[in-house]
Amino acid sequence: GAGVSQSPSNKVTEKGKDVELRCDPISGHTALYWYRQSLGQGLEFLIYFQGNSAPDKSGLPSDRFSAERTGGSVSTLTIQRTQQEDSAVYLCASSLAVEQFFGPGTRLTVL
Amino acid sequence: GDSVTQMEGPVTLSEEAFLTINCTYTATGYPSLFWYVQYPGEGLQLLLKATKADDKGSNKGFEATYRKETTSFHLEKGSVQVSDSAVYFCALSVGNDYKLSFGAGTTVTVRA
């Protein structure tokens, strides 16, 4: 079946612009996670959605970052007023239980 | 807070060599432990897991045993192949949300 998909695969933006990154989880998976993979910080948890519960936003690095999940399926991660330190690969994962299935990531470059 | 420390890389081996990647953890409560692998040009995928002390996870010839007394989850493979070249991440999760805390990753290159 279809895995987790993310779009765009690459995004280049200018400092100060807003960006939206999209994640389509595996159908039926109730949990959805966003992580960030950067050279300086490794792999970091950002935010977690589980069903209709309030999201766990404890990993978001600043209030410029936000995410939503519509209808318990597709999720969008929004970064406002991007900074150069936001450059990273943003990974989405979904799961039904313990094992998380990761998407290919969106590589964000902020010039 | 919860954290994972894994062996720094890069590691370069010849085919059929023995591979060990050390991983230790600090966690409140009782974590589940994982090894994820990222092959060149591909996404992260789960290699193996163990959810309680003394459990052994295994897959594709790789093994790791959850050692509570030494807070470790070392990854081993007895005879590596070129196709095992990848970045390996040790990770843990605590509680029912399963959000992962990752180690820094170890790059392994296997030469023919």
Side-chain angles (χ1 to χ4, degrees):
Chain A
V4 177
S5 61
Q6 294 185 244
S7 61
S9 54
N10 280 285
K11 176 71 176 179
V12 179
T13 190
E14 294 179 349
K15 178 181 172 182
K17 300 284 190 182
D18 297 352
V19 295
E20 285 190 352
L21 312 180
R22 177 186 168 105
C23 172
D24 283 87
I26 293 172
S27 178
H29 279 193
T30 55
L32 187 148
Y33 307 78
W34 283 97
Y35 296 88
R36 178 169 72 172
Q37 187 174 22
S38 59
L39 281 176
Q41 302 297 322
L43 264 163
E44 308 169 274
F45 164 77
L46 296 177
I47 187 169
Y48 158 66
F49 297 88
Q50 173 62 271
N52 296 320
S53 302
D56 176 350
K57 305 179 183 180
S58 60
L60 294 179
S62 79
D63 59 8
R64 296 186 295 104
F65 288 71
S66 63
E68 62 178 20
R69 188 179 186 192
T70 53
S73 181
V74 171
S75 178
T76 302
L77 177 69
T78 301
I79 309 173
Q80 296 178 309
R81 305 181 302 281
T82 52
Q83 304 294 313
Q84 288 184 331
E85 61 262 29
D86 300 335
S87 295
V89 177
Y90 290 82
L91 298 173
C92 176
S94 70
S95 76
L96 269 178
V98 175
E99 180 175 358
Q100 294 182 28
F101 296 82
F102 283 81
T106 293
R107 181 175 297 278
L108 175 66
T109 303
V110 182
L111 301 177
Chain B
D2 303 329
S3 66
V4 175
T5 302
Q6 69 180 96
M7 189 173 81
E8 297 276 338
V11 174
T12 302
L13 302 165
S14 298
E15 259 190 325
E16 300 182 5
F18 184 86
L19 171 67
T20 299
I21 305 176
N22 290 339
C23 171
T24 57
Y25 67 88
T26 302
T28 54
Y30 300 97
S32 294
L33 301 174
F34 308 85
W35 278 99
Y36 277 82
V37 60
Q38 191 170 32
Y39 297 105
E42 298 184 16
L44 268 175
Q45 54 188 276
L46 179 66
L47 180 60
L48 53 85
K49 68 179 187 291
T51 57
K52 61 183 188 297
D54 299 325
D55 270 1
K56 178 186 284 187
S58 61
N59 186 25
K60 299 182 179 181
F62 289 88
E63 293 183 341
T65 301
Y66 187 142
R67 301 286 188 199
K68 185 179 176 183
E69 63 276 12
T70 54
T71 61
S72 64
F73 193 55
H74 305 321
L75 183 68
E76 297 182 337
K77 185 172 185 179
S79 177
V80 294
Q81 304 300 312
V82 172
S83 57
D84 294 324
S85 298
V87 183
Y88 293 83
F89 294 90
C90 187
L92 66 81
S93 69
V94 179
N96 294 330
D97 56 19
Y98 299 118
K99 60 187 182 188
L100 295 166
S101 298
F102 287 92
T106 302
T107 300
V108 174
T109 302
V110 181
R111 294 182 173 167

